[in-house]
Amino acid sequence: MTPSMIYLNPTARDYTYKPVPSSAGGATDESTVLAFHQSLPSYNETTLHTLPALAASLGLSHVLVKDESNRFGLPAFKILGASWAVYRAVLSALHLDFVHDGGEQRDIVTTMKMVSVADLGSAARDRGLCIVTSTEGNCGRAVARMAKYLGLPVRVFVPEYMSEATRQKIRGEGAEVLVVKGTYEDTIPVIRKEAEEREGSVLVLDVGLEGYEVVPKYFVEGYSSMLAESDKQAPELTGGKPATHAIVPCGAGSIAQAVAQHYKDAERQRQHGSATVIAVEATTAASLKTSLEAGEPTLVQTADTIMNGMNCGALSTLAWPVLSQGVDASVVVTEQESHAAVEELKSSGIPAGPCGAATLAALRRVCADSRARSELGLGPESIVVLHCTEGARDYPVPS
């Protein structure tokens, strides 16, 4: 029996995300994060495209594509999470992350003037700080870019299967690249040991691990700027209507967590109604779908994929509680489907990479499945946002 490519999660239908206020150690307000991003060099609001012909062919009201092919001059969304995470991690390393007032702990960036990147970089250099991170591609380059803004050295650990071209792009941001034998998961113990033993190291990872969940939380917060932008842009393209469905790639789970939290947020639901969240994975790295089916986080063995930014065998410990309750469907797509979606978006003038285009492949798959389409409420009133998380890049075309 062929395993299903779609998992429908009935618990998500009634899920509401209720963020903990920043004053209680919870999430920072989206407006604060957006103001931070707007202060960085070359901030740009990325385009939300509309594809009316595709929407009509699928029997939907609108299909919108949030195009992250040029974010701060980088070809992916990762810089949003990486910049905020590095900023907050360095603040913390300098013991500037919190202020105390009357015995209450409050978030510095919401209670006093935000520390400028220039001032923070100067203080961090005086202390001899160095950023260390691990990556499968876009995240490491993004972390290195933020380290460059701060004027700090950065060491990026990568798995051996990473192409030399990708390594060179990371080095192009001023980073030292160190190759670890094995997969991305194999880099984790190496980098954690490095951070513990090397004085002045600031560990920055976008995946939650046991005993390491604060910095990954900042990555998730950082992605809120993309979502705040699309919430503003969508009504301009739909006659004032908000998105009803969101499709997002899922690797270790941080961006999928951010999307689920945003669209399932209690206040957003009060204003705009409930939205359906669909996560997409490669068939070679379906850790979310496997975990949802098992009812618990489950490690899977991965294999090479053109969707290499999603090539993660384990979910972030921070993401799982939200994804397990807030994702309405998990869809896996093949190499061929992802490539076909790249070509389809290219014909519409959208320069997508395989990870970003996988969202279109997932939409086509669920729309072709009558049960999934009905369960997910995809119909003539649906407004679907595809989060196209990376721009065009070279990859081996699947046969």
Side-chain angles (χ1 to χ4, degrees), residues 50-396:
T50 182
L51 300 179
L54 174 62
S57 71
L58 295 175
L60 306 173
S61 177
H62 292 82
V63 175
L64 310 175
V65 181
K66 186 61 169 163
D67 177 4
E68 292 293 308
S69 61
N70 182 9
R71 179 67 81 171
F72 291 104
L74 295 180
F77 75 106
K78 283 285 188 178
I79 185 64
L80 291 172
S83 57
W84 181 242
V86 170
Y87 178 81
R88 294 300 303 268
V90 172
L91 275 173
S92 182
L94 295 174
H95 304 291
L96 293 174
D97 199 29
F98 291 97
V99 294
H100 295 267
D101 181 21
E104 295 182 0
Q105 193 177 59
R106 297 185 297 164
D107 197 332
I108 190 172
V109 296
T110 60
T111 58
M112 59 187 296
K113 183 178 180 181
M114 189 177 291
V115 178
S116 72
V117 169
D119 288 345
L120 185 63
S122 177
R125 292 191 299 274
D126 288 345
R127 284 277 300 277
L129 297 188
C130 173
I131 307 298
V132 292
T133 191
S134 175
T135 187
E136 289 181 299
N138 287 324
C139 188
R141 188 178 179 189
V143 169
R145 170 65 65 85
M146 185 59 191
K148 182 192 290 187
Y149 288 160
L150 291 166
L152 295 178
V154 57
R155 293 163 61 84
V156 181
F157 290 74
V158 305
E160 62 183 344
Y161 59 73
M162 178 182 286
S163 70
E164 182 57 31
T166 301
R167 296 178 199 175
Q168 282 299 110
K169 289 177 180 177
I170 298 171
R171 292 189 186 104
E173 301 295 336
E176 178 185 1
V177 175
L178 301 99
V179 180
V180 176
K181 186 176 181 179
T183 66
Y184 172 78
E185 281 72 29
D186 293 316
T187 69
I188 299 300
V190 176
I191 191 174
R192 294 192 81 172
K193 183 178 179 183
E194 163 89 2
E196 290 170 2
E197 296 181 352
R198 190 181 180 98
E199 186 177 355
S201 293
V202 180
L203 179 62
V204 177
L205 295 173
D206 69 342
V207 56
L209 307 167
E210 185 176 349
Y212 183 82
E213 291 192 335
V214 174
V215 173
K217 181 188 75 170
Y218 297 143
F219 271 92
V220 175
E221 289 182 355
Y223 301 143
S224 67
S225 290
M226 176 184 72
L227 303 169
E229 289 176 2
S230 60
D231 268 0
K232 178 178 71 72
Q233 294 167 316
E236 298 169 357
L237 300 172
T238 64
K241 298 177 181 178
T244 62
H245 294 72
I247 305 183
V248 59
C250 182
S254 292
I255 181 59
Q257 177 188 351
V259 169
Q261 288 180 179
H262 179 82
Y263 284 98
K264 301 288 186 174
D265 179 76
E267 180 60 22
R268 190 184 188 281
Q269 288 189 3
R270 188 186 67 80
Q271 293 184 19
H272 304 300
S274 182
T276 298
V277 176
I278 301 168
V280 56
E281 300 176 285
T283 55
T284 55
S287 55
L288 175 59
K289 180 173 176 289
T290 303
S291 298
L292 288 171
E293 290 170 336
E296 61 182 4
T298 304
L299 179 68
V300 300
Q301 289 297 118
T302 63
D304 286 346
T305 171
I306 61 173
M307 294 168 274
N308 55 11
M310 296 149 64
N311 192 19
C312 300
L315 292 169
S316 165
T317 58
L318 186 68
W320 169 247
V322 174
L323 299 181
S324 63
Q325 300 177 79
V327 168
D328 294 88
S330 177
V331 181
V332 294
V333 298
T334 66
E335 308 288 280
Q336 292 78 12
E337 287 174 314
S338 173
H339 172 64
V342 167
E343 294 298 309
E344 184 175 353
L345 290 173
K346 182 179 178 181
S347 69
S348 296
I350 302 173
C355 291
T359 57
L360 172 55
L363 176 61
R364 285 199 169 278
R365 181 172 283 283
V366 295
C367 282
D369 185 302
S370 58
R371 176 171 176 258
R373 185 184 182 107
S374 175
E375 289 286 327
L376 297 172
L378 286 161
E381 301 300 316
S382 299
I383 298 170
V384 183
V385 176
L386 308 179
H387 292 91
C388 189
T389 51
E390 67 169 354
R393 58 176 172 81
D394 293 333
Y395 59 88

